[in-house]
Amino acid sequence: DAGVTQSPTHLIKTRGQHVTLRCSPISGHKSVSWYQQVLGQGPQFIFQYYEKEERGRGNFPDRFSARQFPNYSSELNVNALLLGDSALYLCASSDKVTGVFYGYTFGSGTRLTVV
Amino acid sequence: QKEVEQNSGPLSVPEGAIASLNCTYSDRGSQSFFWYRQYSGKSPELIMSIYSNGDKEDGRFTAQLNKASQYVSLLIRDSQPSDSATYLCAVVDRGSTLGRLYFGRGTQLTVWP
């Protein structure tokens, strides 16, 4: 059974460009979450989508946007790239629970380098 | 702003020793806590979860939770060089049913042979 898949694995972009990162959730999961991990820091929450609707947004500028498709896959878009956007972008999937949340598995991540 | 603090390390222990990793959190209402292991250049891997006060053991790993002190710890017994990694403490946002996590900065652990 496939886990969370992300693409591309690595990419290099120039300041000012835009980038699209993709994520496919675990089969049956309807929620996708995006995190940014800058070198030396813990992951920071960017977005969470459930059933194609945004359910949460972290403290990131409007240059960051995301969407979720009918098949529950998701895209993270970043416009007007800055050097500080260089990071590992992580995607995780989950499903809504009515009780205790048991944690989720991250995809392998996309390493973005902005030069 | 909810905060998760970890002892910054790096922590270095000899093979076979017990490694102790600590974490405190600011939101007293938090209910779910996780430890992730992250090898250099890789994504975080969930290794332990804990929800109730006390200890939870899984193999060589023991997670400890004290909600009154807002403190979570991870003990690694019989440490192996393969345990060398960064360990991230994560706390679930109170009320989140979809799992919004707050992470600490991580503690880098080195186990030397």
Side-chain angles (χ1 to χ4, degrees), chain A residues 9-68:
Chain A
T9 305
H10 298 85
L11 74 167
I12 300 174
K13 291 287 188 177
T14 304
R15 277 179 299 175
Q17 287 188 314
H18 72 273
V19 67
T20 297
L21 311 181
R22 295 177 175 83
C23 172
S24 292
I26 292 171
S27 178
H29 283 185
K30 300 177 181 176
S31 176
V32 168
S33 301
W34 288 95
Y35 287 78
Q36 180 198 62
Q37 187 178 24
V38 173
L39 193 64
Q41 303 287 327
Q44 276 201 295
F45 174 79
I46 311 175
F47 282 111
Q48 190 168 68
Y49 276 77
Y50 180 76
E51 288 276 21
K52 295 165 285 183
E53 291 187 1
E54 182 181 304
R55 292 300 191 92
R57 183 185 182 116
N59 188 24
F60 281 81
D62 291 344
R63 298 185 296 106
F64 288 76
S65 64
R67 55 180 176 168
Q68 188 177 31

Side-chain angles (χ1 to χ4, degrees), chain A residues 35 37 41-43 45 48 50 57 90 94 96-97 100-104 106-108, chain B residues 32 34 36 38 41-44 46 51 88 92 96-101 103-105:
Chain A
Y35 287 78
Q37 187 178 24
Q41 303 287 327
F45 174 79
Q48 190 168 68
Y50 180 76
R57 183 185 182 116
L90 297 163
S94 60
K96 196 167 187 179
V97 297
V100 177
F101 174 70
Y102 293 103
Y104 46 51
F106 285 102
S108 57
Chain B
S32 304
F34 303 93
Y36 282 82
Q38 186 173 28
K42 302 296 185 183
S43 65
L46 179 63
Y51 311 99
L88 297 161
V92 176
S96 169
T97 57
L98 293 171
R100 174 175 175 168
L101 296 180
F103 284 85
R105 295 182 61 169

Side-chain angles (χ1 to χ4, degrees), chain B:
Chain B
Q1 175 71 14
K2 295 170 185 173
E3 295 184 351
V4 179
E5 301 285 344
Q6 295 184 245
N7 44 344
S8 58
L11 177 64
S12 181
V13 301
E15 184 174 356
I18 296 175
S20 177
L21 305 163
N22 304 315
C23 172
T24 59
Y25 58 94
S26 63
D27 185 358
R28 184 170 290 277
S30 298
Q31 298 294 323
S32 304
F33 309 86
F34 303 93
W35 284 97
Y36 282 82
R37 176 177 62 197
Q38 186 173 28
Y39 293 113
S40 181
K42 302 296 185 183
S43 65
E45 171 193 10
L46 179 63
I47 56 172
M48 286 291 285
S49 59
I50 188 165
Y51 311 99
S52 304
N53 281 330
D55 295 358
K56 179 182 178 181
E57 187 174 315
D58 184 1
R60 296 185 297 110
F61 298 97
T62 299
Q64 299 174 318
L65 174 61
N66 183 327
K67 291 184 180 179
S69 301
Q70 296 173 239
Y71 175 88
V72 190
S73 67
L74 179 70
L75 299 178
I76 306 175
R77 292 183 302 280
D78 188 23
S79 295
Q80 301 297 310
S82 59
D83 295 326
S84 298
T86 295
Y87 289 80
L88 297 161
C89 174
V91 178
V92 176
D93 187 19
R94 186 193 339 180
S96 169
T97 57
L98 293 171
R100 174 175 175 168
L101 296 180
Y102 292 91
F103 284 85
R105 295 182 61 169
T107 300
Q108 185 177 347
L109 171 66
T110 299
V111 181
W112 45 275

